[in-house]
Amino acid sequence: MLLERYAYTNRWRRVDPAAKGLFSLCGLTAVFMATGPAAAVPAVALVATTLVGTGMPLKSYLRVAAPALLFLATSALTLLVSLRPGGPSGIVLSLVPAELPHAALVCTRSLGGLAALLFLALTTPMNDIIALLRRLKTPEVLLDLMTLCYRMLFVLSEAMHDMHTAQAARLGHAGPRRTLRSLGILAANLTVQVWQRSLALHHGALARTSDGPLRFLEPEYPHSRASLATAALGGGGLIVLAVVTI
């Protein structure tokens, strides 16, 4: 996965996750403190910081954000459209220009929230985020569920890749009709296979008498205090920037 690859190989991989989490939280606060199009200013700053920290090309960043951006664009359009009874078809679809400022505010804040989330996700591996949440006294049950869901994502990805390769080797994707049929078979087999693998994972945990939280080795981060101070300074700068541009 592209996101995981940058999370493990970026320039700030060894920076304390607490510092990165603090900066992300400050960025999110700045986005919601700004009003109107001014919310785009801290959002752009968050994107620029992420690109600098990860060394990620803008094209790859947009590729990671594309699904969320598509969902956001669809949601924004629904804010500008009104449905009311009437007309020959019984329903009249019309644009509502008065909702444009509201839609712009929702979009810019959502983009800022997405930028803050991607900053943390692209600079910090999931294991480090879970370790940070454990330090923040998050309930262990929730952390175990996050760990299992994270593990199952890779199981699902690997199984889907293997089945797709096997289908392609048998010309299963030669033409739209074969492709549609192959996708249906893949979805059916994938459901059964993931269910079986999750059951095997559960039995493996029971065989090891696993009755406590899932623990992982937590690396030590040098210069944690300096990282936290830098993150607080940068995050405070984002908040000031948001307040000044109101």
Side-chain angles (χ1 to χ4, degrees), residues 4 12 32 39 60 94 102 146 149 165 201:
E4 283 299 307
W12 292 343
F32 278 89
S60 299
S94 60
H102 179 234
M146 290 175 62
C149 289
T165 302
L201 183 65

Side-chain angles (χ1 to χ4, degrees), residues 100-122:
L100 188 57
H102 179 234
L105 177 61
V106 171
C107 284
T108 48
R109 282 183 173 174
S110 300
L111 285 174
L114 175 64
L117 177 65
L118 286 181
F119 168 78
L120 185 62
L122 286 168

Side-chain angles (χ1 to χ4, degrees), residues 83-145:
L83 288 174
R84 56 185 172 82
S89 61
I91 297 177
V92 176
L93 180 67
S94 60
L95 290 174
V96 186
E99 290 293 329
L100 188 57
H102 179 234
L105 177 61
V106 171
C107 284
T108 48
R109 282 183 173 174
S110 300
L111 285 174
L114 175 64
L117 177 65
L118 286 181
F119 168 78
L120 185 62
L122 286 168
T123 58
T124 313
M126 191 63 185
N127 290 339
D128 291 357
I129 294 176
I130 291 176
L132 173 62
L133 292 174
R134 180 168 283 121
R135 286 159 60 186
L136 295 174
K137 307 300 180 186
T138 304
E140 293 290 347
V141 174
L142 182 60
L143 297 180
D144 288 351
L145 284 175

Side-chain angles (χ1 to χ4, degrees), residues 160-174 178-190:
M160 188 169 63
H161 178 266
D162 292 345
M163 281 190 279
H164 184 273
T165 302
Q167 288 178 340
R170 294 177 173 81
L171 300 180
H173 296 278
R178 279 173 172 260
T179 300
L180 184 62
R181 183 173 181 274
S182 298
L183 287 177
I185 295 173
L186 188 147
N189 290 336
L190 192 63

